[in-house]
Amino acid sequence: MTIPDAARSLIGRRLDEVPTPALLLDLDALEYNIALLSELTKRAGLGHRPHAKGHKSIEIARRQLKAGALGICCQKISEAEVFVAAGIGNILITNELVDPIKIEKACALARDAQIMLVADDPRMLSEIDKAASKAGAQMNVLIEIDLGQNRCGVSSIEEAVALAKRAADLKHIKFGGVQAYQGKLQHVSGWVQREAIVKKTTALLSDYLAALEGEGLSCEIVTGGGTGTLEADCELKTYTDVQPGSYVVMDAQYKAIGGRTSGPFALFRHALTLLSQVISVRKDWFVLDAGLKAMSSDAGQPEVIGRNDVSYSFAGDEHGILRSDSGAALQLGERIAIIPGHCDTTINLYDYYLVHQGDRVVDIWPIDARGRIA
Amino acid sequence: MTIPDAARSLIGRRLDEVPTPALLLDLDALEYNIALLSELTKRAGLGHRPHAKGHKSIEIARRQLKAGALGICCQKISEAEVFVAAGIGNILITNELVDPIKIEKACALARDAQIMLVADDPRMLSEIDKAASKAGAQMNVLIEIDLGQNRCGVSSIEEAVALAKRAADLKHIKFGGVQAYQGKLQHVSGWVQREAIVKKTTALLSDYLAALEGEGLSCEIVTGGGTGTLEADCELKTYTDVQPGSYVVMDAQYKAIGGRTSGPFALFRHALTLLSQVISVRKDWFVLDAGLKAMSSDAGQPEVIGRNDVSYSFAGDEHGILRSDSGAALQLGERIAIIPGHCDTTINLYDYYLVHQGDRVVDIWPIDARGRIA
């Protein structure tokens, strides 16, 4: 992705001069979040392998690695290709690869980087073994375990043991351990409720690990965990490494569920802002130039920054409506800053971040893996 | 946007060989839809000015113009810039421009193309007049009228007349008429219900037009209407031109609301398909590789093509779940074709269409104005 000259010319400008809608990234908040995750996991004795599916940025991945990340996670092979091409040397692809062409691509990437795959089916293992053999590689594979989120992954100890044995038996596969990421847990509202479920699923994970160990299938890597469960994951220490992604920018959805009072979750800062503008002042409402193409609507309501007197609602692909119960008076052309509801799907709408410190644009970073979903 | 070589190499391949998720465009269905709109509006004696905010493709815009469109509509100045650069010579920007920099850009575009703007506030008219004067141009401006959708636009006859007078009085503005697009009407479910509301709002529009005419403010252009109201708009003939966008590819949302039995709406064909793959076969469900980053979730459920025995639900940014009440057995790796719920916001996630005829990829078209939201 080449940054257009018109965008590049915004470097050095004040935020109130940039065309809206624009996706802003607060450099100081980003750096703070990167350092905080590094510190929290280090203190807990865990590794961290931040997920890049959200930020999709080579520059951010590099900063995460510099801060001590073991590597990064990607969801798709086309995403991983972007990061390997940029010299990122350690990538866990956290989603099952089934298409033989994609598995071949993963084996090809393994020439230039340490690539780990996940699997939940013996047929995937056979395909990986076949492709690895052809490529003269040995692929590191984790067995994916489903602890109750009802998506990918094996959901019984018997299946997990059988699959791990199969992986260990195949010549061109190295059984590396397990992945047990539970997306649904990340967004359970309220710390007490979330911690209780995390403890329960982590106990279940321990049963899996004990059974595998009992069969001589030692798990070098036990990976999972996200931004919402980070505090509990760091205390329980069942994972060897955690793979949060949203922590690096945060969003309104994560803000809404809350962390433990004064716990580290509450310390992550909001680094992602959607800057919009009032384009119509009507009798009972104000129209913003930011709708469904400016931020995703799939999770939680976006939050207007610094204004409790107005609330946002989506009003089409290119429109949002602000209403006020307290008679707030907004001006035509006024800039309105918003925390997007869901960072991952919002970032995926943009080609670049306008990186700012305070009210100045200091850089532009391409969202390198935007749209890389295959 | 340059198409990657890996994507270009898919031309000539069978659809079951392309990496998933992929956005497919059925060339024959597209051509059929373009011809049908042209025929319907011609028969009704109306012009058509298809909206490009949905397809965002220079190639599609060219085909629409070739079929007799008066011009195209864009929502944003950055979108219009893409089409003007490609030689598209007539563009209505259907959304209010407030930022003086954007208004200057519109005046600059008017050197290379016929550009029309809309306004719902006298301050916008002043800004347009000022910028047009500076650019040595005269800008064609339509007054936007809100007939009850509660978004942009003036909502009283007095306001409309005052604003039109103001436009007509300004030296560097030509008062061109009115825009009265009603987005909400497009998706009213059931033909009888939709027709009744369209008749009511069209009667209201006629009152506005009569009042303007009475003041000597004749409206050369009366534009509005979309895919959902097309049949009624063609019968009522109050618009001089209609601006549907979704008709060119259609989506599950439009399919669900239905047209008049055997009416032309029912004849538009589905040209847009999301191709996905089963990546995990579990006990009670199947996991697809297509989630919130592969298609938008903002409107209506996507529809699995050719299979009544499974239903899709979103299961995260990169996952979808298929469930079956009737014990359908899907295979690991099986390709599943889906009609996206909402075409505009789904297309905006992709860099290109894989254009196909039957089961062969015949071309790749960039989604040139993707992400152009400012």
Side-chain angles (χ1 to χ4, degrees):
Chain A
M1 163 73 207
T2 324
I3 304 280
D5 289 343
R8 194 156 290 287
S9 73
L10 296 171
I11 297 175
R13 296 287 188 87
R14 287 199 320 275
L15 292 183
D16 59 9
E17 296 173 313
V18 308
T20 59
L23 190 67
L24 310 181
L25 182 63
D26 181 328
L27 183 57
D28 298 334
L30 178 90
E31 286 290 9
Y32 177 90
N33 293 342
I34 290 173
L36 180 59
L37 178 69
S38 181
E39 170 64 25
L40 289 175
T41 50
K42 197 171 159 186
R43 208 186 296 160
L46 304 184
H48 65 289
R49 198 183 298 274
H51 218 302
K53 81 185 183 75
H55 65 65
K56 287 182 173 279
S57 152
I58 292 165
E59 180 63 36
I60 296 177
R62 284 185 180 143
R63 287 169 190 245
Q64 289 172 320
L65 291 166
K66 206 174 154 193
L70 299 170
I72 61 165
C73 295
C74 289
Q75 283 283 66
K76 301 292 182 110
I77 188 73
S78 62
E79 231 173 48
E81 285 173 337
V82 170
F83 290 102
V84 171
I88 307 287
N90 189 317
I91 296 179
L92 166 61
I93 299 175
T94 55
N95 213 350
E96 278 66 13
L97 296 184
V98 174
D99 185 342
I101 294 169
K102 291 182 184 172
I103 295 172
E104 277 173 30
K105 285 181 177 176
C107 294
L109 287 185
R111 284 195 296 262
D112 299 318
Q114 282 181 271
I115 302 291
M116 274 193 297
L117 303 181
V118 301
D120 70 358
D121 192 297
R123 289 167 290 184
M124 289 176 203
L125 294 178
S126 302
E127 285 291 345
I128 295 170
D129 186 62
K130 200 165 78 182
S133 164
K134 219 166 112 183
Q138 201 194 32
M139 295 301 286
N140 206 341
V141 178
L142 309 180
I143 301 308
E144 180 157 29
I145 296 173
D146 179 359
L147 301 174
Q149 89 157 342
N150 298 353
R151 213 164 61 183
C152 296
V154 297
S155 54
S156 76
I157 288 180
E158 297 66 36
E159 272 182 289
V161 167
L163 206 56
K165 272 190 178 161
R166 177 80 184 134
D169 286 348
L170 288 166
K171 197 172 160 195
H172 300 279
I173 287 180
K174 176 180 184 296
F175 167 65
V178 301
Q179 171 174 272
Y181 172 74
Q182 302 300 298
K184 277 186 192 165
L185 293 197
Q186 306 309 318
H187 302 109
V188 171
S189 192
W191 171 250
V192 175
Q193 293 81 345
R194 200 153 74 250
E195 189 187 33
I197 308 181
V198 174
K199 282 187 170 164
K200 209 174 127 188
T201 54
T202 305
L204 181 57
L205 175 58
S206 298
D207 293 344
Y208 275 88
L209 297 176
L212 288 164
E213 188 75 40
E215 297 283 340
L217 295 156
S218 174
C219 293
E220 193 182 319
I221 292 175
V222 181
T223 186
T227 298
T229 61
L230 182 65
E231 291 174 83
D233 296 334
C234 281
E235 282 176 13
L236 295 167
K237 300 187 205 308
T238 306
Y239 293 124
T240 57
D241 62 75
V242 290
Q243 44 176 262
S246 304
Y247 81 96
V248 82
V249 292
M250 299 297 279
D251 58 26
Q253 179 182 214
Y254 270 119
K255 186 175 178 195
I257 64 167
R260 177 160 44 187
T261 312
S262 75
F265 181 87
L267 298 177
F268 284 114
R269 290 174 55 188
H270 286 277
L272 195 70
T273 304
L274 190 282
L275 194 64
S276 65
Q277 187 181 36
V278 176
I279 58 161
S280 186
V281 173
R282 309 321 314 163
K283 206 170 47 180
D284 297 319
W285 63 85
F286 308 92
V287 185
L288 290 186
D289 61 359
L292 294 162
K293 286 184 193 154
M295 52 190 163
S296 62
S297 65
D298 56 77
Q301 272 302 101
E303 186 186 313
V304 180
I305 297 177
R307 298 202 66 129
N308 298 321
D309 56 347
V310 291
S311 65
Y312 175 95
S313 50
F314 287 97
D317 299 349
E318 284 88 1
H319 298 87
I321 300 277
L322 289 183
R323 289 181 188 270
S324 171
D325 289 332
S326 56
L330 303 184
Q331 301 306 311
L332 189 67
E334 189 169 341
R335 302 295 173 110
I336 301 289
I338 292 174
I339 301 176
H342 184 190
C343 55
D344 302 60
T345 43
T346 295
I347 292 168
N348 189 49
L349 298 170
Y350 289 84
D351 290 322
Y352 49 83
Y353 299 99
L354 290 183
V355 184
H356 67 104
Q357 286 186 297
D359 73 344
R360 283 282 162 194
V361 178
V362 295
D363 210 347
I364 294 197
W365 294 351
I367 298 171
D368 309 275
R370 195 219 77 73
R372 293 287 191 134
I373 58 169
Chain B
M1 162 74 208
T2 325
I3 304 280
D5 290 343
R8 195 155 288 287
S9 73
L10 295 171
I11 297 175
R13 296 287 187 87
R14 286 200 320 276
L15 291 183
D16 60 7
E17 296 173 313
V18 308
T20 59
L23 190 67
L24 310 182
L25 182 64
D26 182 327
L27 183 58
D28 298 334
L30 178 90
E31 287 290 8
Y32 178 89
N33 293 342
I34 290 173
L36 180 58
L37 178 69
S38 182
E39 170 63 24
L40 290 175
T41 50
K42 197 172 158 186
R43 207 186 297 159
L46 303 184
H48 65 289
R49 198 183 298 275
H51 218 302
K53 81 184 183 76
H55 65 64
K56 286 181 173 278
S57 151
I58 292 166
E59 180 63 36
I60 296 177
R62 285 186 181 143
R63 288 170 189 245
Q64 289 172 321
L65 291 167
K66 207 174 153 191
L70 298 171
I72 60 165
C73 295
C74 289
Q75 283 283 62
K76 302 291 182 110
I77 188 72
S78 62
E79 233 174 45
E81 286 173 336
V82 169
F83 289 102
V84 172
I88 306 289
N90 189 316
I91 296 179
L92 165 61
I93 300 176
T94 55
N95 213 350
E96 277 67 14
L97 295 184
V98 173
D99 186 342
I101 295 168
K102 291 182 184 172
I103 295 173
E104 278 174 29
K105 286 181 179 178
C107 294
L109 287 185
R111 284 196 295 263
D112 299 318
Q114 283 181 270
I115 302 291
M116 273 193 295
L117 304 181
V118 301
D120 69 358
D121 192 297
R123 291 166 289 185
M124 289 176 204
L125 294 177
S126 303
E127 285 292 342
I128 294 170
D129 186 61
K130 199 166 78 182
S133 165
K134 219 166 113 183
Q138 200 195 32
M139 295 300 288
N140 207 341
V141 178
L142 309 180
I143 302 306
E144 180 158 29
I145 296 173
D146 179 0
L147 300 175
Q149 88 157 341
N150 298 351
R151 213 163 62 182
C152 297
V154 297
S155 55
S156 76
I157 287 180
E158 295 68 34
E159 273 182 288
V161 168
L163 206 55
K165 273 190 180 161
R166 176 82 185 132
D169 286 348
L170 288 166
K171 194 172 162 199
H172 299 279
I173 288 181
K174 175 181 185 293
F175 168 65
V178 301
Q179 171 174 271
Y181 173 74
Q182 302 299 299
K184 275 186 191 164
L185 294 197
Q186 304 310 318
H187 302 108
V188 171
S189 194
W191 171 249
V192 177
Q193 293 81 346
R194 201 153 71 250
E195 190 187 31
I197 307 181
V198 174
K199 282 187 171 166
K200 209 173 127 189
T201 55
T202 305
L204 181 56
L205 175 58
S206 298
D207 293 344
Y208 276 87
L209 298 177
L212 287 165
E213 189 74 39
E215 298 282 340
L217 295 156
S218 173
C219 292
E220 192 183 320
I221 293 176
V222 179
T223 185
T227 298
T229 61
L230 182 64
E231 289 174 84
D233 297 333
C234 282
E235 283 177 11
L236 295 166
K237 301 186 204 308
T238 306
Y239 294 123
T240 57
D241 62 74
V242 291
Q243 43 176 263
S246 303
Y247 81 96
V248 81
V249 293
M250 298 296 279
D251 58 26
Q253 179 182 213
Y254 270 118
K255 187 174 178 195
I257 63 167
R260 178 160 43 185
T261 310
S262 76
F265 181 88
L267 298 176
F268 284 114
R269 289 174 56 187
H270 285 277
L272 195 70
T273 304
L274 189 282
L275 193 65
S276 65
Q277 187 181 36
V278 177
I279 59 161
S280 186
V281 174
R282 310 321 314 164
K283 206 170 46 183
D284 297 319
W285 62 87
F286 308 92
V287 185
L288 289 187
D289 61 0
L292 295 163
K293 286 183 193 156
M295 49 190 167
S296 62
S297 64
D298 56 78
Q301 271 302 102
E303 185 186 312
V304 180
I305 297 177
R307 298 203 66 129
N308 298 321
D309 55 347
V310 291
S311 66
Y312 175 94
S313 50
F314 287 97
D317 300 348
E318 283 89 1
H319 297 87
I321 300 278
L322 288 182
R323 288 180 189 273
S324 172
D325 289 332
S326 56
L330 303 184
Q331 300 306 311
L332 189 68
E334 189 169 341
R335 301 295 173 110
I336 302 290
I338 293 174
I339 301 176
H342 184 189
C343 55
D344 302 61
T345 44
T346 294
I347 292 168
N348 189 48
L349 297 170
Y350 289 83
D351 290 321
Y352 50 83
Y353 300 99
L354 291 182
V355 183
H356 67 103
Q357 286 186 297
D359 74 343
R360 284 282 162 191
V361 179
V362 296
D363 209 347
I364 293 197
W365 295 350
I367 298 170
D368 309 275
R370 194 219 78 72
R372 293 286 190 132
I373 58 169

